[in-house]
Amino acid sequence: MSRVTKKASSVCTDSPLSMSEVCQKMTLMRQILTSCFGPNGRLKQVHNNVGGHVLTTSTSTSLLQAVSSSEPLLKLITASILNHLSRFSDCGLYTGILCFSLIDHVQKSGLRPSVAIKINKQLLEVCTSFLNQEDCGCKVNVDFNSCQSLVTLARSVISSKPACVLTEGEQQHISTLAVHAFLLTVPCGDTPGSPDRVRLGKTVTVSIEGQFVLDSAVFPGLLVNVPDMQLHPTDSERTRRGPGPFRLALFTVSLSGDLSEFGEGSLEVHSGAPDPEDLILDELLKLGEQAVTDQVEVFMCQRVIHPVLQHYLRRHGVLVVERLGIALIEPIVQMTGAQAVALYQTPIPPEAYGQVKGCCVRTVGSREMLHLLPPREPAPAVCTMVLCHRNDTMLNELKAVCQRAEHVLRLTLRDPVALLGGGCTETHMAAYISNKGTTEAAKAALSLGVSQSQYLLGLNGFCSSLEAVALALVHDGETGLVDLSYAHHWSVPQGEAIHSGTVPQGEAIHSGTVPQGEAIHSGTVLQGEAIHSGTVLQGEAIHSGTVAQGEAIHSGTVAQGEAIHSGTVAQGEAIHSGTVAQGEAIHSGTVPQGEAIHSGTVAQGEAIHSGTVPQGEAVQRGDGDEVPATCGCGLVERSARPGLEWTPLNTRYPSRSAPLVVGKDTPPQLRVLDSFTAKLNALQVAVEMANLVLDIRYVIQDVN
Amino acid sequence: MGSTIISQRLHVGLQQLTALAAVTHSFLGPNKNHKFIQDESTGESSLVCTCFRVLEHLDLTCSVGQLANETIQAHQKVFHSGAGCLLFMAGVWSRAALECLHRDISIPHIVSAMSEGLDICCKVCRSNSVSIEDVRPNASDSGTSVLQGSPHTVLRNPVTGMNPSHGALNNKKQSRIKLTHSRHFCANDEADKNTTPGLFSHAVSSKGVDIAHLAEAVSHGCVDAMSLVVEVSKMQSKNNGSGDSCRTFDVNKLVTCTLPGLSEDHSCVLPGCVILLSAEQASLVHHMKEQKWQVVLINGDLSEKYRHLGFNSKNDISQVTDKLDLKGLSKEDDWEDNVLTTLLKNNVNLVLVNGEASERLTQHCMSHRILVVERMKPDILKDFAETTGAVPVTYATQLSKHCVGTGVEISIWRDCSGNRRRASMAVNIVADRTALVTVVLTTSVHSKLQTLEDCFWGCAYRLHHTLKDRKLLPGAGKTELLCVQILQKHIKDNGEQTRGKDGTSAPQAKQGRAGNPHRADVFQLMADGWMDYISTLMLNSGTCSKVDAWTTINQQLIDLNGGLSLDANFSRLLLRDDTEDGMMSPDMKRSAGKVYDNMTVKLEAWRKALDLVFLVLQTDTEIITGIDPKQVEGQSNVMVL
């Protein structure tokens, strides 16, 4: 009897993004992803409520798989990030941060979703074509004549996860191993049988807990776990025997001799008839006989082999390995050319045999493993990467990171380019599209059918979102800076706060506290006054608008008594905004009370105000000490380029010419490189997801 | 189900780690205080005195606890020693990290400075390690090692078992008696010389290494257990053909057998393996004495029903018959006959079974003078396979002539009946040329068995690592003191360089400062962690209070004036002979220099402790999955995703 319960009707949520609960959860998710980002990111401990295994990670793949949300919009975003990761392995956090940031900026700007979507789409195209340009300033070619850029690429991936807890030497060792493994899996010459296609090999990872990281190694061929090998002296004898090649047979079917494959149901056996188990064993022994006559020397099975068959084979000098597990089957097939046999009732077809060049016992850490050598050179490239680490948590993270590095390296075969890491690509790209967007605003706005100010607002949000990704690399109260010439990202450690640079005479920035409801006006410029920037005291915020030659800015949009304004002001123009209907803003959005704008927190009743900076002068010019020696990626060196000027990230700095491209004639040692393919796709996924989420009008949930 | 997020801005994790580590403080040093762990729900309790056993028995609900446990167990699995040091350092360094956070030092700065500090110290420790060839007995007491005697002679109560001739002298100085039990002060005083005459091994001191002496150096107060280890080494060397000296030690050819009921001085070392048999079976052994026998090895159970691992038995096979079964023989009878015939045909006298053996078959075999022994450890079977040439099989029906091994001797070792156990005869089975050695650990207190076993294995692995590293670190806190000194030197240099910046600043100094402005602070806090270690050692040794210890160490550090040599000053420091009006005899001063620690184990334990601290330090959020959002409503520190 089935119980009948009344079916509950579906729950429909109107404009989910306007609900505070949804926004709260999205902010939380954004914070989680942002805090995980980069080599100084924070770790998350994930476990279930009954005290299961504790996962400590900052890797998006592990994190997003473990953490589930009840919010459909979040589920949607999570799913698309995981989908991106399944294809590219890299840039998961990047996708998430950018996506949430875009949504956030659109909401804050007050732009209508349909307008914002149009603008985002157009800007995405600008970004994509920029990244695909030959002379794109944030791209470097991967030189396959040397390992340097490959190792840098691998190290950037490996060093980006603090839960691996690696010293610098260990990082270098693992990066080199990752590149070594990658190179081993690239076949030399054509794949036999299909001359126009190259088939990449496989890397099998073996992880060993409790050993030194520096014991990690890469071996050509395969390492197979053979736990009880020592029990069979014949096996060790076999492994010592001279060079091969040896003939190998591989089975995927269980050779345990049980009746499980007959399925359910009872079996009636006539008492005079032989035992079905014996019959199967006879069948198996026949198979063994054939293997012996066919001179098979290595006999492998994915599952269990009946001990009697094992015994028989060993008696005849055959090396027997059982319980390989499914994961090893494909690499073995690829390496040995064997066909996995799924039947034991019929004789083994001769073409199913494969070959190995030899076998030997290798002690890896505390484990003894059987090493199968690839049959010929150039080998169908299969290799084994043995990863050792001090504890399980760090080992798991290391394993994930190495697999990611392998994938990233493989992607370079398709596009032999890499992007500058350390946030430099984002800041550079933001500067580029900001400049391009501003200069071509009228044209672009016309073609999109939006007003120019809407376009500028959308552009601003987009650039800020890109910069937000670079800013996410910065934790621990560091300050993210961008230089005004090349638009690379620089981070200034905490405690080395920026006071001020020497400001050229006649310029000053002044920040004041504006009483609630009051409009902002530009300050009087006092000669030689100091600039405040960088670390923003609570309750104060900086906003720098570009105001031409002493012109005043009026901003009148007052939502809840607060006034904020931003925007680039062309020379000689004055901006004023009239009373704007709530929810819409031309220059800056209506910002909810107390919310953060750009980099600072604005306390209630306080307004931001920025001074006049004549003719696009630097907002901040470091006098040297606090800014690090190189930018995030290491391409721009401070010592080599005197006269660099910096401004804090995500404050509106003066409109300026397009960022310069650093000449790569004598490139300095690049510290961080990111995968081009993965990041390009991540950018597209993030923008498209943001657009999709912005476009969602109703969420209908079946609650049954 | 959603996920719940707990933000850990307060760094509860570090506090939890400190608290957890504090539990094991009393295990540090040679004077271990046992702890009782009681399970309130089941009423069970267990006696522990090692760090990894404590964690094993604790119900670690917090995620940090689990992480710590995971680290400790992994370390234990590989090194079998040093887990206490690991957890202690994790505790003190997490406190250091917490203090750094209070001082507003950013996490990357803490991480980089701490790992730099450890790197510096590890490097210096490595270069200051002592080669095992240099670990020599002192001239005056060479050959007086307490460990070279038979275990019976050294199994004295450290307090009451004093030599009477010295009793009067020692009784006046109670504190000295206490000291003899300490790792730092374990002196080879005259008493040993007198009570164990003629039992000193004739250790070869001219060339190579003397294992007995090394064993003493790393005994860490477990004198009894270590003397068993030395015995093992002797026996293995003998089997190896190295004669009477202790030349080899193979920890992989070593098994323990615990026998409750006998007093502790019955612990001993035997070649081959020791098993317990019923009186009935043992009577068979009486007939088997002094002869070589043939053996077969069975992996798995010896029964008709048994099938190998991975075999899915089908239960619903039914036999149909059209005629009456007149013989009345069951399938099992058939099988038994079959097995017995096979065994007899191959002249097998001994069947060693990994799993369980069918009782009926065992009885049958016994009537044919075949001894069946069940529940043999896989390691032992492996050794028998190697030494007798027997090929292990899964099914007895598989046996053929080439599977049979030869050359096994069986003898009765001791009658253990009287404790009302079924298996009451301890039997010794030895294969020819075996290197396998069994250590029989006995105690009359049943709950001490585990502790004894742990202690024994700790000693065995300490010796193993000593021989593997071929290097030792000075023990008794000297290595830690060296680390403190190195860090303080770096702090000082750092300060000088910073001051010198006004005038003539070295470019390197500037870089160092720009790299990490809080380096000195972090180094100091890290050094305090090691200070804590030394002072806890001193506290546990019963020499002084913790505060006194700190004062003394600090005073000595000042006196040492930054010199980096590991000279007599260190020993003096820990012996404090300047404070207690000549309480130390010259013997004891000398012996303090003879305590050593394993290098790889110690450095790796430090590294792992720091790993643990880093993992916890860098974690800002705890995410609990699979929780109903309604459960956590109203909890202020919890957010729902």
Side-chain angles (χ1 to χ4, degrees):
Chain A
M1 204 174 83
S2 60
R3 193 190 297 175
V4 183
T5 38
K6 200 175 161 222
K7 203 177 168 198
S9 46
S10 300
V11 175
C12 175
T13 318
D14 185 10
S15 32
L17 280 180
S18 66
M19 292 183 55
S20 71
E21 199 195 326
V22 177
C23 288
Q24 221 171 12
K25 285 183 178 176
M26 290 189 48
T27 313
L28 187 59
M29 193 62 171
R30 183 184 168 187
Q31 278 168 359
I32 289 173
L33 297 181
T34 310
S35 61
C36 281
F37 199 50
N40 289 334
R42 296 287 183 268
L43 310 177
K44 307 284 168 275
Q45 284 176 345
V46 189
H47 58 100
N48 64 19
N49 60 340
V50 285
H53 171 73
V54 180
L55 168 77
T56 306
T57 188
S58 63
T59 309
S60 52
T61 322
S62 325
L63 194 67
L64 293 176
Q65 274 166 356
V67 175
S68 58
S69 172
S70 51
E71 178 52 48
L73 289 187
L74 280 182
K75 281 184 188 165
L76 189 70
I77 295 172
T78 309
S80 70
I81 297 173
L82 284 172
N83 184 41
H84 162 82
L85 285 169
S86 69
R87 291 177 58 209
F88 297 95
S89 297
D90 198 20
C91 294
L93 292 174
Y94 176 94
T95 316
I97 297 168
L98 185 57
C99 177
F100 284 117
S101 195
L102 282 166
I103 297 170
D104 193 50
H105 274 104
V106 170
Q107 280 181 288
K108 275 187 190 153
S109 73
L111 280 176
R112 274 196 309 277
S114 58
V115 174
I117 289 166
K118 264 193 257 179
I119 298 169
N120 282 349
K121 263 189 191 154
Q122 193 261 344
L123 292 172
L124 175 64
E125 274 164 37
V126 176
C127 287
T128 320
S129 59
F130 168 67
L131 289 176
N132 282 315
Q133 275 170 24
E134 270 306 299
D135 58 345
C136 163
C138 37
K139 217 159 65 170
V140 285
N141 288 325
V142 172
D143 179 12
F144 285 106
N145 290 322
S146 92
C147 287
Q148 197 50 56
S149 43
L150 289 178
V151 173
T152 308
L153 203 52
R155 201 185 45 227
S156 307
V157 172
I158 286 157
S159 63
S160 71
K161 298 297 165 195
C164 293
V165 199
L166 297 173
T167 64
E168 219 148 274
E170 288 167 348
Q171 272 175 13
Q172 186 61 35
H173 180 70
I174 296 290
S175 316
T176 319
L177 285 186
V179 174
H180 185 189
F182 160 69
L183 293 175
L184 281 176
T185 57
V186 180
C188 317
D190 297 327
T191 311
S194 49
D196 53 334
R197 286 169 65 198
V198 171
R199 192 175 174 208
L200 284 181
K202 274 214 152 40
T203 308
V204 177
T205 310
V206 173
S207 45
I208 294 172
E209 186 192 353
Q211 297 291 322
F212 308 101
V213 180
L214 294 178
D215 286 347
S216 307
V218 167
F219 299 101
L222 283 169
L223 286 184
V224 181
N225 220 357
V226 190
D228 55 349
M229 184 159 44
Q230 287 305 303
L231 270 177
H232 305 286
T234 45
D235 281 352
S236 22
E237 214 171 275
R238 159 117 318 251
T239 57
R240 277 196 295 273
R241 199 180 289 178
F246 298 139
R247 188 173 258 200
L248 172 140
L250 176 67
F251 287 84
T252 50
V253 67
S254 167
L255 301 179
S256 73
D258 59 17
L259 297 156
S260 57
E261 62 184 271
F262 293 114
E264 294 294 303
S266 63
L267 204 65
E268 285 189 348
V269 181
H270 197 278
S271 69
D275 192 326
E277 276 178 29
D278 293 342
L279 287 177
I280 294 178
L281 184 57
D282 284 345
E283 201 78 47
L284 291 175
L285 286 174
K286 236 186 268 169
L287 190 78
E289 249 169 66
Q290 195 212 338
V292 171
T293 42
D294 286 355
Q295 288 170 325
V296 170
E297 299 194 71
V298 184
F299 191 97
M300 299 183 129
C301 182
Q302 181 194 328
R303 290 181 243 189
V304 179
I305 303 176
H306 196 290
V308 175
L309 176 60
Q310 286 190 38
H311 189 82
Y312 173 83
L313 291 168
R314 287 205 173 97
R315 281 281 285 151
H316 292 85
V318 180
L319 178 75
V320 185
V321 183
E322 59 165 356
R323 284 186 249 187
L324 287 168
I326 184 108
L328 272 178
I329 297 301
E330 218 210 304
I332 292 176
V333 166
Q334 202 171 347
M335 185 179 89
T336 63
Q339 289 169 13
V341 184
L343 255 186
Y344 62 83
Q345 288 87 349
T346 55
I348 314 164
E351 66 270 17
Y353 293 124
Q355 275 190 336
V356 285
K357 195 176 146 205
C359 330
C360 59
V361 179
R362 225 172 246 291
T363 311
V364 193
S366 50
R367 252 193 261 171
E368 286 204 314
M369 299 185 92
L370 183 70
H371 188 180
L372 300 176
L373 298 164
R376 55 186 174 273
E377 304 284 342
V382 173
C383 70
T384 304
M385 190 168 188
V386 177
L387 290 176
C388 307
H389 213 326
R390 296 176 290 260
N391 79 34
D392 203 33
T393 299
M394 302 186 299
L395 186 58
N396 284 338
E397 191 85 341
L398 184 64
K399 202 172 156 187
V401 150
C402 283
Q403 277 160 2
R404 198 153 65 98
E406 192 206 357
H407 202 159
V408 163
L409 290 172
R410 285 188 168 200
L411 291 174
T412 59
L413 291 174
R414 203 191 306 168
D415 292 302
V417 280
L419 289 174
L420 303 177
C424 290
T425 295
E426 287 72 39
T427 50
H428 187 88
M429 190 154 70
Y432 171 84
I433 60 163
S434 163
N435 172 267
K436 192 178 163 74
T438 317
T439 48
E440 296 169 12
K443 208 178 97 195
L446 194 67
S447 70
L448 292 173
V450 298
S451 80
Q452 197 173 335
S453 50
Q454 276 174 333
Y455 183 77
L456 287 174
L457 211 52
L459 175 68
N460 187 19
F462 195 90
C463 295
S464 299
S465 302
L466 279 176
E467 289 183 347
V469 180
L471 210 55
L473 283 168
V474 170
H475 305 270
D476 306 298
E478 292 164 280
T479 315
L481 297 183
V482 58
D483 72 82
L484 298 182
S485 317
Y486 303 100
H488 277 235
H489 176 233
W490 306 66
S491 73
V492 181
Q494 181 204 31
E496 310 273 323
I498 315 149
H499 325 289
S500 67
T502 3
V503 183
Q505 60 169 46
E507 298 156 33
I509 292 173
H510 156 97
S511 90
T513 320
V514 186
Q516 193 163 5
E518 254 196 48
I520 308 166
H521 62 110
S522 80
T524 336
V525 181
L526 296 169
Q527 194 157 4
E529 223 186 87
I531 301 167
H532 300 261
S533 76
T535 8
V536 182
L537 298 173
Q538 193 167 9
E540 250 188 27
I542 294 173
H543 156 86
S544 64
T546 327
V547 186
Q549 286 164 341
E551 282 227 16
I553 301 168
H554 302 266
S555 128
T557 328
V558 183
Q560 292 160 349
E562 264 191 35
I564 295 140
H565 104 105
S566 79
T568 326
V569 186
Q571 189 163 6
E573 251 187 39
I575 298 174
H576 65 126
S577 67
T579 331
V580 186
Q582 196 167 0
E584 264 185 38
I586 293 171
H587 298 293
S588 68
T590 11
V591 183
Q593 216 162 350
E595 243 194 74
I597 307 155
H598 306 309
S599 59
T601 326
V602 184
Q604 185 177 4
E606 279 178 354
I608 311 156
H609 153 85
S610 92
T612 330
V613 185
Q615 287 158 350
E617 269 288 341
V619 174
Q620 195 252 343
R621 170 186 285 180
D623 66 352
D625 250 8
E626 62 271 17
V627 180
T630 60
C631 68
C633 65
L635 190 62
V636 183
E637 286 170 303
R638 209 180 64 199
S639 54
R641 298 176 198 279
L644 274 184
E645 291 164 325
W646 292 271
T647 179
L649 262 180
N650 252 348
T651 50
R652 288 294 100 226
Y653 40 82
S655 163
R656 56 197 163 80
S657 51
L660 297 173
V661 174
V662 181
K664 288 169 199 136
D665 312 324
T666 51
Q669 190 85 31
L670 280 174
R671 276 213 311 267
V672 192
L673 285 177
D674 286 342
S675 168
F676 172 79
T677 324
K679 195 164 263 192
L680 187 63
N681 191 68
L683 183 70
Q684 285 164 347
V685 170
V687 176
E688 277 160 25
M689 265 326 287
N691 282 350
L692 182 64
V693 170
L694 287 169
D695 213 14
I696 286 173
R697 184 80 174 86
Y698 296 106
V699 172
I700 301 166
Q701 272 177 292
D702 184 358
V703 289
N704 289 296
Chain B
M1 285 298 195
S3 302
T4 303
I5 318 288
I6 302 172
S7 243
Q8 293 186 330
R9 302 236 179 268
L10 298 168
H11 292 279
V12 188
L14 291 173
Q15 292 169 16
Q16 282 171 333
L17 196 55
T18 313
L20 190 67
V23 173
T24 60
H25 275 199
S26 66
F27 297 153
L28 211 60
N31 287 346
K32 291 176 173 55
N33 294 324
H34 286 69
K35 279 188 197 299
F36 259 115
I37 298 180
Q38 193 159 4
D39 187 339
E40 291 214 325
S41 56
T42 61
E44 283 173 9
S45 63
S46 42
L47 189 67
V48 291
C49 85
T50 45
C51 167
F52 76 98
R53 292 277 174 215
V54 172
L55 290 191
E56 213 175 61
H57 283 99
L58 289 183
D59 186 19
L60 297 162
T61 44
C62 65
S63 52
V64 172
Q66 282 200 35
L67 207 55
N69 191 25
E70 178 194 292
T71 308
I72 298 281
Q73 303 300 344
H75 181 86
Q76 186 65 25
K77 214 171 88 192
V78 176
F79 294 103
H80 298 88
S81 130
C85 170
L86 198 169
L87 192 58
F88 188 98
M89 292 321 287
V92 288
W93 282 336
S94 65
R95 202 167 56 217
L98 204 59
E99 180 57 30
C100 287
L101 289 172
H102 288 158
R103 294 189 192 174
D104 222 14
I105 302 173
S106 73
I107 290 173
H109 282 155
I110 302 173
V111 171
S112 72
M114 281 186 126
S115 41
E116 192 196 342
L118 188 63
D119 282 346
I120 293 170
C121 291
C122 285
K123 222 171 123 191
V124 175
C125 287
R126 267 177 223 283
S127 61
N128 275 290
S129 62
V130 184
S131 161
I132 54 171
E133 283 86 5
D134 299 336
V135 179
R136 288 271 166 79
N138 287 334
S140 65
D141 60 0
S142 65
T144 60
S145 160
V146 285
L147 296 170
Q148 291 166 9
S150 86
H152 306 279
T153 51
V154 291
L155 279 163
R156 298 169 294 114
N157 183 312
V159 179
T160 59
M162 301 305 278
N163 187 301
S165 65
H166 289 78
L169 175 77
N170 291 330
N171 283 343
K172 277 191 281 182
K173 294 174 178 174
Q174 272 299 324
S175 62
R176 181 175 168 188
I177 295 165
K178 208 195 272 168
L179 291 178
T180 57
H181 201 45
S182 140
R183 165 157 69 125
H184 317 292
F185 310 98
C186 69
N188 306 317
D189 37 30
E190 295 295 301
D192 292 312
K193 207 172 196 172
N194 295 341
T195 50
T196 59
L199 284 162
F200 311 133
S201 72
H202 307 287
V204 186
S205 53
S206 53
K207 55 183 178 184
V209 291
D210 175 15
I211 287 181
H213 213 88
L214 286 178
E216 189 194 344
V218 294
S219 71
H220 293 190
C222 302
V223 179
D224 308 345
M226 199 47 116
S227 44
L228 288 171
V229 175
V230 173
E231 285 290 304
V232 169
S233 163
K234 265 187 179 175
M235 193 167 282
Q236 286 180 340
S237 309
K238 205 169 156 190
N239 292 338
N240 222 15
S242 320
D244 278 342
S245 59
C246 296
R247 286 319 192 102
T248 52
F249 179 66
D250 186 355
V251 80
N252 297 315
K253 291 281 174 209
L254 177 58
V255 286
T256 47
C257 170
T258 49
L259 286 182
L262 294 170
S263 69
E264 276 177 45
D265 46 356
H266 285 95
S267 297
C268 67
V269 179
L270 293 168
C273 69
V274 174
I275 44 164
L276 292 173
L277 294 178
S278 68
E280 216 178 346
Q281 281 181 306
S283 63
L284 183 60
V285 177
H286 275 296
H287 301 291
M288 296 174 82
K289 272 187 289 192
E290 286 162 15
Q291 236 179 303
K292 306 276 180 189
W293 301 101
Q294 305 224 62
V295 65
V296 291
L297 311 173
I298 310 279
N299 274 329
D301 292 353
L302 184 63
S303 75
E304 196 268 325
K305 290 273 177 293
Y306 174 77
R307 292 292 177 274
H308 54 274
L309 215 66
F311 182 97
N312 298 315
S313 317
K314 220 171 160 66
N315 297 321
D316 44 4
I317 298 179
S318 50
Q319 292 248 340
V320 287
T321 179
D322 49 6
K323 52 180 181 275
L324 219 59
D325 188 0
L326 294 170
K327 281 182 281 181
L329 281 177
S330 73
K331 222 172 163 184
E332 194 173 347
D333 293 330
D334 273 348
W335 175 80
E336 256 174 33
D337 283 348
N338 198 349
V339 173
L340 202 56
T341 321
T342 317
L343 292 178
L344 288 170
K345 201 173 77 194
N346 291 304
N347 289 324
V348 176
N349 314 94
L350 180 62
V351 182
L352 300 180
V353 186
N354 176 226
E356 286 174 22
S358 132
E359 209 161 308
R360 257 180 64 188
L361 182 67
T362 310
Q363 292 290 335
H364 268 189
C365 284
M366 206 146 49
S367 59
H368 290 90
R369 297 212 162 173
I370 299 172
L371 181 64
V372 179
V373 184
E374 53 178 10
R375 295 200 190 86
M376 298 291 290
K377 287 180 190 163
D379 286 350
I380 299 179
L381 282 192
K382 203 168 118 183
D383 183 70
F384 273 98
E386 284 162 15
T387 48
T388 65
V391 179
V393 293
T394 310
Y395 297 110
T397 42
Q398 247 178 286
L399 287 169
S400 61
K401 207 169 176 100
H402 83 281
C403 302
V404 182
T406 52
V408 180
E409 271 185 87
I410 311 176
S411 58
I412 291 194
W413 176 64
R414 179 177 283 279
D415 185 357
C416 303
S417 54
N419 51 358
R420 278 168 297 160
R421 283 165 36 128
R422 211 181 117 254
S424 58
M425 281 289 204
V427 170
N428 187 204
I429 306 178
V430 190
D432 274 354
R433 299 179 308 276
T434 185
L436 187 72
V437 170
T438 300
V439 172
V440 184
L441 296 169
T442 57
T443 177
S444 35
V445 186
H446 193 278
S447 51
K448 263 182 83 179
L449 267 183
Q450 179 77 76
T451 311
L452 274 181
E453 205 176 357
D454 288 345
C455 181
F456 172 78
W457 282 111
C459 285
Y461 274 97
R462 275 202 297 278
L463 182 60
H464 169 76
H465 289 301
T466 307
L467 297 170
K468 203 172 149 197
D469 290 351
R470 300 196 70 81
K471 289 253 191 281
L472 283 170
L473 288 176
K478 273 191 274 179
T479 301
E480 284 77 9
L481 198 62
L482 179 65
C483 294
V484 174
Q485 223 188 336
I486 296 155
L487 289 183
Q488 288 190 345
K489 190 169 180 289
H490 273 269
I491 295 164
K492 213 171 129 216
D493 292 354
N494 212 33
E496 274 166 10
Q497 281 164 353
T498 317
R499 274 196 300 280
K501 205 186 163 188
D502 312 323
T504 51
S505 84
Q508 194 194 349
K510 192 181 171 186
Q511 199 132 46
R513 200 192 70 88
N516 197 342
H518 306 288
R519 194 162 159 264
D521 285 356
V522 181
F523 276 15
Q524 184 56 55
L525 287 166
M526 224 180 150
D528 287 352
W530 270 311
M531 291 278 275
D532 208 356
Y533 183 90
I534 308 168
S535 60
T536 308
L537 271 183
M538 291 172 83
L539 174 76
N540 287 354
S541 310
T543 43
C544 54
S545 73
K546 213 156 182 171
V547 180
D548 288 345
W550 273 76
T551 320
T552 319
I553 302 165
N554 271 325
Q555 187 53 48
Q556 290 292 338
L557 279 169
I558 294 163
D559 291 353
L560 286 168
N561 206 16
L564 277 180
S565 64
L566 269 172
D567 55 11
N569 284 333
F570 283 101
S571 341
R572 227 184 64 228
L573 168 74
L574 275 135
L575 288 168
R576 299 198 319 145
D577 60 344
D578 50 341
T579 51
E580 306 262 329
D581 60 322
M583 236 175 59
M584 308 284 173
S585 70
D587 260 358
M588 295 180 69
K589 279 187 207 166
R590 205 168 43 236
S591 68
K594 288 200 253 157
V595 179
Y596 292 92
D597 291 337
N598 288 130
M599 184 174 75
T600 313
V601 178
K602 176 156 268 184
L603 300 188
E604 199 59 11
W606 287 350
R607 176 78 61 200
K608 281 176 180 159
L610 208 55
D611 286 341
L612 195 54
V613 175
F614 286 170
L615 282 180
V616 177
L617 173 68
Q618 294 182 83
T619 303
D620 68 342
T621 307
E622 186 179 341
I623 301 174
I624 304 164
T625 57
I627 216 161
D628 188 1
K630 282 177 197 115
Q631 280 175 17
V632 293
E633 258 171 40
Q635 288 182 30
S636 58
N637 60 336
V638 173
M639 290 173 281
V640 177
L641 187 70

